[in-house]
Amino acid sequence: MKKLTVILLLALVSITGFKAAAQEETYRFDAGAQIGMAGYLGDASSSIFSKPGFSAGVSFRYLPDVRWAVRGVLNVMNLSGDTSSMDDVLPGGASYSFKSTAYDLGARVEFNFFPYGIGETYKKLRRWTPYLTIGIGGTVATCEGDSNVGFNIPMGVGFKYKLKERLNLGIEFTMTKVFSDHVDGALADLYQIKSSFLKNTDWYSNIAVSLTYEFGKRCATCHYVD
């Protein structure tokens, strides 16, 4: 009788455990917002930290699996620079300063170093992971009433932590190459040196903290038999 009782208890635990595993849910999308600090690097600045500005944005992710994500991002950044604080001297001893607002819209791919998530224990998921990201996009920069558009390539690293099953906290650092020399205004070639299109362009950085929420349940028919 004792043996039968033990067998029944083990069977019950196994069935209950299987049901719990089958009920663990993962999601296909997440959306959220981020705030942080932006920096400009170009003719009017020698460091991304010399004139930090405010940044804010929203994002939407498609989560095909636990290692990869495709992310759409819209960021707004305040950028500024001033040659008077630089060691380099402009021709004729001139100086130049600017303040601009940059709107960055693009798509990025993210690769997680570890399988990221909560649930699906057979996948050995972790609730934290560092990741790499790269993408393509466009930048619209407005300065003193003038607007300029440039193609961009963002590159960055980040860290994600799952606060709860559907809530994610992240921090990310990106450097964005803009294929335009007008992020700092309409004035280009401050040093009056002819250069290639690829070299004579601007960069900006963004360090941001994000909070996102997952939605869109995946199919939960794990090991389903009709």
Side-chain angles (χ1 to χ4, degrees):
M1 186 63 182
K2 289 182 179 180
K3 289 183 179 180
L4 181 59
T5 302
V6 171
I7 292 172
L8 290 174
L9 287 173
L10 290 174
L12 181 61
V13 169
S14 299
I15 293 172
T16 303
F18 175 77
K19 287 183 177 179
Q23 290 172 356
E24 290 173 342
E25 295 173 339
T26 57
Y27 301 87
R28 294 179 295 168
F29 310 103
D30 83 7
Q34 56 269 355
I35 59 172
M37 182 185 75
Y40 155 83
L41 183 63
D43 291 332
S45 176
S46 58
S47 169
I48 59 174
F49 303 108
S50 60
K51 290 281 186 177
F54 178 76
S55 71
V58 292
S59 69
F60 176 86
R61 279 190 183 94
Y62 168 58
L63 309 169
D65 59 36
V66 296
R67 288 280 190 152
W68 294 92
V70 180
R71 184 184 183 195
V73 179
L74 172 62
N75 282 318
V76 181
M77 292 165 283
N78 294 325
L79 304 176
S80 60
D82 189 348
T83 61
S84 63
S85 61
M86 297 172 58
D87 294 332
D88 297 341
V89 178
L90 297 179
S95 62
Y96 178 72
S97 64
F98 78 95
K99 291 183 179 180
S100 71
T101 302
Y103 302 87
D104 183 328
L105 176 64
R108 305 174 186 180
V109 176
E110 296 176 359
F111 172 72
N112 299 327
F113 281 72
F114 305 121
Y116 179 66
I118 294 177
E120 296 182 321
T121 52
Y122 66 96
K123 291 185 179 180
K124 298 182 180 179
L125 301 184
R126 296 193 185 191
R127 66 189 304 164
W128 60 271
T129 183
Y131 66 90
L132 298 175
T133 182
I134 191 170
I136 57 174
T139 301
V140 179
T142 61
C143 182
E144 297 181 352
D146 294 324
S147 296
N148 291 278
V149 180
F151 167 72
N152 72 46
I153 297 180
M155 299 160 278
V157 296
F159 182 87
K160 304 173 186 176
Y161 178 74
K162 193 166 281 295
L163 296 171
K164 292 184 178 181
E165 182 184 17
R166 303 171 71 172
L167 197 62
N168 307 278
L169 180 67
I171 183 169
E172 182 179 270
F173 172 76
T174 56
M175 286 293 299
T176 300
K177 173 76 168 179
V178 188
F179 292 87
S180 167
D181 197 29
H182 297 289
V183 170
D184 46 16
L187 184 61
D189 299 329
L190 294 179
Y191 294 95
Q192 299 177 11
I193 299 174
K194 295 294 183 180
S195 183
S196 68
F197 173 74
L198 293 178
K199 184 177 180 180
N200 195 30
T201 51
D202 295 324
W203 292 75
Y204 54 78
S205 66
N206 190 25
I207 303 174
V209 176
S210 65
L211 189 66
T212 63
Y213 183 78
E214 295 179 6
F215 60 97
K217 293 179 183 178
R218 296 182 187 276
C219 179
T221 56
C222 181
H223 303 299
Y224 175 76
V225 178
D226 193 358

